[in-house]
Each structure stands twice: as C-alpha cells, then as structure tokens.
Amino acid sequence: MIASKPDLLAASVTFDILEEAFGQSSLGILIVRGLPPQFPDLRLRLLSYASYLANLPSHILGTFAIFASLHPLAYLTGWSHGKEALKNGSYDTFKGSFYVNCRLHHGFNRPEVIDDAYSEYPELTASNVWPPEALLPGFRECFEELCTLTIDTAALVARACDRYALAKIEGYEPGYLERIVRVSKTTKARLLHYFPTKAGVQADQSESAETSNTLDGDGLNDWCTTHIDHGCLTGLTAAVYIDESAHLPPIMDLPESKSSFPYLPFLPTPPDPESGLYIRSRTGTITKVTIPADCLAFQTGECLQLITGGKFQAVPHFVRAGRASVNGRQVARNTLAVFTQPGFDEIVDKSTVKTYAQFSREVAERFK
C-alpha cells in the first residue's frame, strides 16, 4: 500500500488503505512517498557511510562500541558486530550495526533526561557513542537529520492510525500513537551493513533483542532470519547494494579537507534478483517487497498490535542474501531502520495494564 506525505498531512488517507497496509490480512507495511527534497541526499550519504564505517580496522571500531560484559544488552548502542548471541549459541557475524538512541526532542546525547528508575535499561538509555568527526566527517549530522525526518514522517503515519483507532476501538485515547512517536525517549535507530556473503557459508542468525522474534525458518532467510519488530512503527529506507571490492576507497586515503564523504557508486539492482526484504503473510505466503528509493516504508510492530487490540498486526519478515558473490565481487547491503517505541511508563496492553518497560523486559527474556 502506498500513501503520500501530503495525504497524511491532509488526513485524507482512507481507512481502507490503512487496513490494506496494517490490517489482519495485510503485509504490515505502508510505503510513504512525497518526502522532503533533502531525503534522497541524506539516504545516499548515510548508506555510503555504512560501508565506510564497517570497513574501518577493528581496533578503531572498538573505540565506539560498548561491550556486552557491562550488561547483556549494552552492545545495542554504538558499533556492534559479533556480540549478539543467537538461539543456537553462535554469534551474529554476518552483519554489523551502528545503534543510536533517538531522543529526538530531548537531544540525541542527553542521558540525564531518562529517569534513574530505568537505568537498568542501558540498551535504551545509554549515551550515544559517535565516531570522531575527523574520522567520519558529517556522519553524525547526517544520521541525526535522517532519523529526525523518519520520525517526523512516522508521526504522520501514527496520526492516521489514531484516526482509525478512535473510530474503531472503544475508549481509545485521541492522539495516543502520534504522541508516543513524537515524544518517546526510547526510539532506536539501527544503521545496518550486511557483509558480502561467501561461497559455502549459510548464515544462521536472528535480529537483535529489540527487533526480532525468531520463527521457524525455511532456508531462505540467510542475511536476517524471520522475525517481527517489537515497537510501534519501524521506518525503513530502501536498501542499497555496493560492490565494495570495486568501489570502496580506503577510508584513510580520502582527503582530510572533505567535509563529508562522497556517495559510493551503488549497483542498480541486487546481484541476485532474489535478494532483499520478504514478508510472510498469515497464510504462509512469502512476498518480496521492494521499497522505492525516494520513499520510506513503515512496518507494524508488536506494540502497535497490542495498542490497537489486534486491529493492526505485526507481520513476520526476513532478509535474503541470495547467491554468494562471484568473480571477485564483494557485494554488501546497507539500510537504515528506525524503531519508534513507547516511553517506559506508557501502557501498551490495557487488558493487563502492561507498560512498555515490562514488555521490553519480556522481549529480552525471549533471547536468553
């Protein structure tokens, strides 16, 4: 389903469109077009940074990583690679992530705005750990600007959901979801770099604790196994594919005078047409979803399902790598996901008076 930002602003997105996008027989995804003119540049720059970042020497990457020894989920801030334990006992080495806590209207780097009562949630309350500006010029500014644009757009989608819920759900609080998206201090962004696949290697992995719920796999989900998101709305950019063996200049060789890094030359299509994002419907049908480059996609999460009493449903999805690189090509996939999540004290399940703090701990327990 597709909606435009002007239609969202005008409150003219119909209930039928919302049901087709998020309802009980939907794929749980809405594409939003008509974004601000700066969006294409921000997307290409940030997804270029993802490859530059992931190809830094490990001893440098370690300076803006938080080690899991401090807390089981502490690695969910800053750079993370090979720290996420999977259900089979192995660790996820097939993708690297840079996590940012998006306290949009409170400052991206102000831990003091979080109540001390929630210090046990470092994955959501820790100060962000940024690479030095001299190392990745413009990275932080680009990241924050694209996150801000994505969250502001998510708030418009939330406003449309509120109109629907107010009409369909008895006792629904007007403006509830939009308020959550706009003022929450727990929203998390994840810049993802899926490393080039290698011949003979079959990934067996799942998403991180705040984004995934592993389901029965089918052998296709080798870059990111089948999972549902746990927040309200997940904003996604279209992914890019980069042949890093051909196009990635050594980061240390770039001129120091550059205020930001140049775009990398992206492949026009994935090297394997079967690569990409797939959604598994409630009937078991698997559908490949392509997000247009000039659009954002918004997927439903488990909190939205709870808040709407099941009117809107979280839908399982996965990412397929396709065939391994051949002829010396080293093709990586980069994308950004922004997980809008309720504040700790927000009630996400009225039937049990469950708060988001309680729900997030239940999610964490699933991965122990």
Side-chain angles (χ1 to χ4, degrees):
M1 263 291 107
I2 298 176
S4 72
K5 185 174 181 180
D7 287 343
L8 290 168
L9 284 166
S12 59
V13 175
T14 67
F15 289 176
D16 286 344
I17 288 176
L18 292 173
E19 287 178 346
E20 288 186 50
F22 299 148
Q24 298 192 5
S25 59
S26 72
L27 292 178
I29 190 166
L30 178 71
I31 307 295
V32 177
R33 62 189 177 193
L35 299 173
Q38 68 270 28
F39 172 74
D41 172 69
L42 290 171
R43 170 181 167 268
L44 291 177
R45 279 200 288 137
L46 188 61
L47 299 190
S48 292
Y49 279 121
S51 282
Y52 284 118
L53 179 71
N55 281 276
L56 286 169
S58 59
H59 70 279
I60 294 178
L61 285 168
T63 63
F64 35 91
I66 298 179
F67 294 98
S69 59
L70 302 176
H71 184 278
L73 299 177
Y75 64 84
L76 295 175
T77 303
W79 173 253
S80 174
H81 178 230
K83 301 188 186 82
E84 300 175 34
L86 308 178
K87 284 190 177 263
N88 65 2
S90 65
Y91 288 85
D92 181 357
T93 60
F94 291 90
K95 59 184 175 289
S97 303
F98 190 84
Y99 292 99
V100 169
N101 292 320
C102 303
R103 301 175 196 107
L104 181 58
H105 297 289
H106 311 277
F108 273 78
N109 218 38
R110 289 178 54 202
E112 68 273 13
V113 301
I114 302 294
D115 193 297
D116 288 342
Y118 300 115
S119 59
E120 65 182 281
Y121 299 84
E123 70 275 20
L124 298 173
T125 62
S127 296
N128 290 319
V129 184
W130 297 100
E133 179 67 15
L135 181 63
L136 287 177
F139 172 70
R140 176 176 176 174
E141 179 183 8
C142 181
F143 205 128
E144 291 183 351
E145 191 171 348
L146 185 52
C147 285
T148 299
L149 188 155
T150 302
I151 294 168
D152 284 345
T153 307
L156 296 178
V157 176
R159 183 184 299 174
C161 294
D162 279 333
R163 285 194 299 110
Y164 179 92
L166 194 60
K168 303 286 186 178
I169 302 172
E170 184 177 354
Y172 186 83
E173 178 185 328
Y176 181 69
L177 187 61
E178 181 181 2
R179 177 177 60 78
I180 282 176
V181 171
R182 288 197 184 278
V183 307
S184 176
K185 300 171 186 175
T186 67
T187 288
K188 171 83 71 172
R190 184 182 191 183
L191 182 63
L192 284 148
H193 177 80
Y194 297 84
F195 290 97
T197 55
K198 297 178 182 180
V201 176
Q202 179 68 31
D204 180 16
Q205 55 189 309
S206 68
E207 282 284 16
S208 64
E210 100 279 9
T211 64
S212 68
N213 180 22
T214 304
L215 306 174
D216 291 336
D218 55 13
L220 298 177
N221 44 10
D222 48 1
W223 246 341
C224 165
T225 56
T226 308
H227 66 282
I228 58 174
D229 293 343
H230 299 310
C232 296
L233 292 164
T234 301
L236 296 171
T237 65
V240 296
Y241 293 83
I242 301 174
D243 182 358
E244 295 184 342
S245 64
H247 298 311
L248 188 63
I251 194 168
M252 301 305 181
D253 294 346
L254 293 171
E256 292 182 3
S257 61
K258 286 187 178 292
S259 60
S260 64
F261 292 121
Y263 302 153
L264 291 172
F266 303 122
L267 300 176
T269 59
D272 184 342
E274 294 184 346
S275 297
L277 174 66
Y278 287 79
I279 293 174
R280 187 193 303 275
S281 74
R282 287 165 194 77
T283 62
T285 302
I286 296 174
T287 302
K288 184 181 179 184
V289 174
T290 300
I291 304 169
D294 61 347
C295 298
L296 281 167
F298 292 90
Q299 288 186 290
T300 47
E302 197 172 354
C303 280
L304 183 59
Q305 180 173 317
L306 289 170
I307 289 167
T308 62
K311 297 288 187 184
F312 295 153
Q313 294 276 321
V315 179
H317 52 280
F318 62 89
V319 176
R320 186 177 187 186
R323 292 184 291 272
S325 302
V326 295
N327 299 325
R329 300 176 85 188
Q330 295 294 315
V331 178
R333 179 183 188 268
N334 297 338
T335 191
L336 174 71
V338 179
F339 306 94
T340 64
Q341 301 173 144
F344 288 114
D345 292 328
E346 300 285 0
I347 302 297
V348 295
D349 187 348
K350 285 190 174 182
S351 65
T352 60
V353 199
K354 182 184 298 179
T355 66
Y356 179 66
Q358 294 168 324
F359 172 76
S360 63
R361 270 297 160 258
E362 288 178 6
V363 171
E365 289 296 320
R366 298 176 193 175
F367 300 92
K368 287 187 175 180

